[in-house]
Amino acid sequence: MSWEDKVRKAEPYVPGEQPNVKGMIKLNTNENPYPPSPKVNECIKGMDYDRMRLYPKADIMPLRKALADYHGIDVAKVFVGVGSDDVIDMAFVTFFYSDIPVLFPDVTYSFYKVWAELYRIPYVLKPLDKDFHIRPEDYAQKNGGVIFPNPNAPTGVLESRETVEKIIKANPDSVVMVDEAYVDFAGENASVLPLIDKYENLLVIRTFSKSRAMAGARIGYCMGSEKLIKCLEAVKFSINSYTMNTPAIDMGVASVADDAYFREHVGKIVKTRERMKEELKALGFTMPDGKGNFVFAKHENVPAKEIYLALRERNIFVRFFDTPGINDRLRITVGTDEEADKLISALKEILEGA
Ligand code: PMP
């Protein structure tokens, strides 16, 4: 047996590209078009570089405490990681550890499948209905765990709290993870966070990458019962005690402290999203009533790939997934109003010429 036969085989997740073109409009990775809170900037400017000599706080307590206070929960119910990808990765390793398949939608965040394959976790994909909704009854069968984003990605479709609770209720014997990466754009009552006290097997996952405009800082977190968080901590401290770096911890605290800025900018994105939907519809696109910071649009006549390439030529980057079932659509991140205007005029031009 050669060393190559002993290597773990992995088929990695393919993130959206990060082109570096001057003047480009980047609507391909669901980043926030606005800068993070000015308090984050102050925090960066005030950083004492000598602190880099020291290890960061292994328990990430300053940020956990800030998040616990912000959400009005106990600090023992908060776990923080290097982006929600890190948090979800840890959660897969920790909670999906049986021979029974875990369940997630067939059209969803494609990283779930990658982790499942990497860790050899058996899984079954559950088809969405024709309107891209989850069918809660699909998750009522015996399983090794459940995960889905709400709102879902790349569709943007939001399931009601009642639907999500139905799924949690049907699964007292496995961990149910609700990936709320985009929930801040989905309105006041979209999150199932209030249910973590009712269901000790519910894990709610969040990120600073979208609504807090901090994808570059790599901060994610999850909330759940003390028991769940203890299990996660045990695995985390068996892999890497110091996941978060000191500047990221400080910047996270600074962002959480500025709620007014956060709300104002989430509100702006939601407003632009709704306008984008209307303008895209007027150009012949259809789309689900997406609640994330992106739209998932299909044109009635022109193939998605053609539009994607034509936009690209104009330095407007959107996401096209060459996957059966969704390769007739574009996922377009909501940018600033100015970016939305440029997108719409480019689309007009492209569609007129098609
Ligand atoms: N969950 C979903 C549904 C996502 O779309 C993303 C963004 N790619 C993530 C989690 C991970 O985001 P991050 O690691 O930046 O927190």
Side-chain angles (χ1 to χ4, degrees):
M1 211 190 203
S2 78
W3 66 267
E4 282 168 297
D5 296 321
K6 296 166 195 147
V7 172
R8 189 186 284 274
K9 306 288 182 293
E11 205 169 306
Y13 170 74
V14 185
E17 61 180 325
Q18 294 291 357
N20 196 5
V21 184
K22 215 173 156 212
M24 68 176 171
I25 297 182
K26 193 170 177 302
L27 306 175
N28 68 331
T29 49
N30 294 348
E31 288 148 325
N32 195 309
Y34 301 106
S37 154
K39 284 196 194 300
V40 175
N41 198 15
E42 281 166 32
C43 167
I44 294 169
K45 288 186 173 148
M47 259 171 208
D48 174 7
Y49 87 110
D50 187 52
R51 282 171 64 214
M52 292 305 133
R53 285 188 304 110
L54 307 175
Y55 281 109
K57 295 216 163 41
D59 62 6
I60 320 177
M61 206 38 103
L63 184 50
R64 285 174 66 195
K65 178 86 179 54
L67 287 167
D69 291 348
Y70 181 77
H71 290 294
I73 62 175
D74 195 285
V75 73
K77 294 182 176 169
V78 184
F79 175 89
V80 178
V82 188
S84 56
D85 280 342
D86 179 48
V87 174
I88 304 169
D89 174 5
M90 291 285 171
F92 265 63
V93 174
T94 309
F95 299 119
F96 293 167
Y97 192 60
S98 80
D99 298 330
I100 313 165
V102 301
L103 309 177
F104 46 90
D106 60 344
V107 175
T108 196
Y109 186 32
S110 52
F111 220 142
Y112 301 156
K113 201 169 162 177
V114 173
W115 284 306
E117 296 277 350
L118 180 69
Y119 300 127
R120 298 181 191 161
I121 301 165
Y123 62 93
V124 173
L125 305 178
K126 292 292 173 184
L128 300 173
D129 74 12
K130 65 173 187 7
D131 300 316
F132 296 117
H133 274 283
I134 285 175
R135 295 182 301 200
E137 61 274 20
D138 285 348
Y139 297 82
Q141 69 182 67
K142 195 173 164 205
N143 63 66
V146 169
I147 183 164
F148 55 90
N150 198 37
N152 196 3
T155 64
V157 170
L158 177 78
E159 303 302 341
S160 69
R161 215 186 244 178
E162 291 69 39
T163 301
V164 178
E165 184 163 11
K166 212 185 246 183
I167 295 171
I168 304 164
K169 222 180 223 164
N171 286 287
D173 297 325
S174 40
V175 173
V176 177
M177 303 183 198
V178 184
D179 176 354
E180 295 191 338
Y182 300 102
V183 84
D184 292 321
F185 304 105
E188 286 293 320
N189 295 316
S191 175
V192 288
L193 180 61
L195 300 183
I196 63 168
D197 289 327
K198 192 166 166 192
Y199 301 98
E200 73 170 14
N201 59 326
L202 167 65
L203 198 70
V204 174
I205 302 156
R206 299 280 185 93
T207 178
F208 280 50
S209 299
K210 324 287 178 184
S211 54
R212 293 193 176 276
M214 291 177 72
R218 309 305 299 130
I219 307 172
Y221 62 108
C222 65
M223 295 165 284
S225 66
E226 222 174 304
K227 264 196 194 167
L228 283 187
I229 301 302
K230 269 208 178 115
C231 296
L232 267 176
E233 291 278 335
V235 169
K236 177 209 142 166
F237 281 98
S238 306
I239 296 174
N240 179 358
S241 316
Y242 305 107
T243 48
M244 304 289 294
N245 62 69
T246 302
I249 298 173
D250 291 358
M251 288 189 285
V253 172
S255 168
V256 175
D258 196 351
D259 201 40
Y261 182 93
F262 170 74
R263 284 173 183 273
E264 181 192 338
H265 288 81
V266 165
K268 273 191 187 183
I269 290 168
V270 168
K271 211 166 149 211
T272 310
R273 176 188 74 202
E274 295 308 309
R275 177 166 78 88
M276 263 174 75
K277 280 186 208 163
E278 289 314 307
E279 292 185 333
L280 287 168
K281 279 180 199 161
L283 293 180
F285 286 93
T286 52
M287 68 217 75
D289 186 23
K291 299 291 183 189
N293 64 337
F294 52 90
V295 296
F296 194 48
K298 169 183 171 171
H299 194 265
E300 54 192 353
N301 307 316
V302 187
K305 192 167 184 181
E306 199 176 310
I307 303 173
Y308 159 76
L309 292 172
L311 284 172
R312 218 184 137 88
E313 268 174 33
R314 290 163 172 79
N315 286 332
I316 301 178
F317 294 86
V318 300
R319 192 94 191 250
F320 166 71
F321 298 95
D322 208 352
T323 311
I326 56 170
N327 56 7
D328 53 354
R329 290 173 180 274
L330 297 171
R331 192 198 66 188
I332 310 173
T333 304
V334 177
T336 60
D337 276 320
E338 194 193 342
E339 287 173 330
D341 289 343
K342 286 188 178 153
L343 169 82
I344 297 295
S345 1
L347 284 172
K348 273 186 191 151
E349 228 180 80
I350 293 164
L351 296 169
E352 271 163 20

